[in-house]
Amino acid sequence: MNDCVFCRIVAGEAPATKVYEDDAVCAFLDIRPITRGHTLIVPRIHAGELDDLDPELGARIFRTGHRLARAVRYGGLDGDGANLILNDGVAAFQTVGHVHLHVVPRRHGDKLSFAKGFLLRRPHDPVSTAAAIRAGLTALDAAEDEGVN
């Protein structure tokens, strides 16, 4: 779909700071993040809402979200947790008509900064943020290879 910004990002036709991609999903930093490391995961094929999404692909999106939420802890962003959020449909505040999962890193005691970030939605150095998430994925893979997790 040419008019879908997320489809254009997946195709490399629109700018984005990608942190992960495979044959089924693409993950990139939100351009209006709530917190540093706020990432969106989208399926490579267009699905406007959950009704349009194959359940197995939906599971793949959530598995990737799970992995990225864990990677934030390993990558130097000092994440203590994460919110994984999927808004399905306009009634649920979905603003882009392409299924996407938000991974929003959280820290203990961040309620005020989270609220401020939700209101202001300002970018945080995307290059170093993406590098930290990618480093977290590498560290997570190494830990799993060693049987630590």
Side-chain angles (χ1 to χ4, degrees):
M1 293 192 92
N2 276 343
D3 61 336
C4 174
V5 67
F6 289 170
C7 287
R8 291 195 313 268
I9 288 171
V10 166
E13 298 167 357
T17 305
K18 294 181 181 178
V19 298
Y20 175 80
E21 53 188 326
D22 62 26
D23 62 324
V25 301
C26 179
F28 48 90
L29 296 179
D30 192 305
I31 62 169
R32 296 181 55 238
I34 296 171
T35 64
R36 184 172 183 222
H38 181 172
T39 303
L40 303 178
I41 303 163
V42 303
R44 287 191 165 280
I45 61 167
H46 185 81
E49 296 181 352
L50 286 178
D51 279 348
D52 305 322
L53 185 68
D54 176 75
E56 290 303 315
L57 183 52
R60 180 94 171 252
I61 291 167
F62 270 90
R63 278 194 304 274
T64 304
H66 174 255
R67 189 165 179 255
L68 286 172
R70 292 182 65 220
V72 168
R73 296 176 186 203
Y74 284 82
L77 293 180
D78 299 323
D80 298 315
N83 290 112
L84 276 67
I85 306 156
L86 193 146
N87 301 325
D88 181 38
V90 175
F93 307 110
Q94 182 180 357
T95 58
V96 176
H98 187 122
V99 170
H100 55 287
L101 178 67
H102 296 259
V103 178
V104 183
R106 299 296 302 271
R107 296 182 69 196
H108 289 292
D110 73 351
K111 289 179 184 156
L112 290 178
S113 62
F114 181 82
K116 179 181 172 188
F118 191 77
L119 293 173
L120 296 179
R121 311 244 355 220
R122 301 278 191 255
H124 307 270
D125 180 25
V127 173
S128 69
T129 300
I133 294 171
R134 286 187 211 107
L137 288 169
T138 300
L140 183 59
D141 289 341
E144 288 173 348
D145 287 345
E146 293 175 7
V148 174
N149 289 331

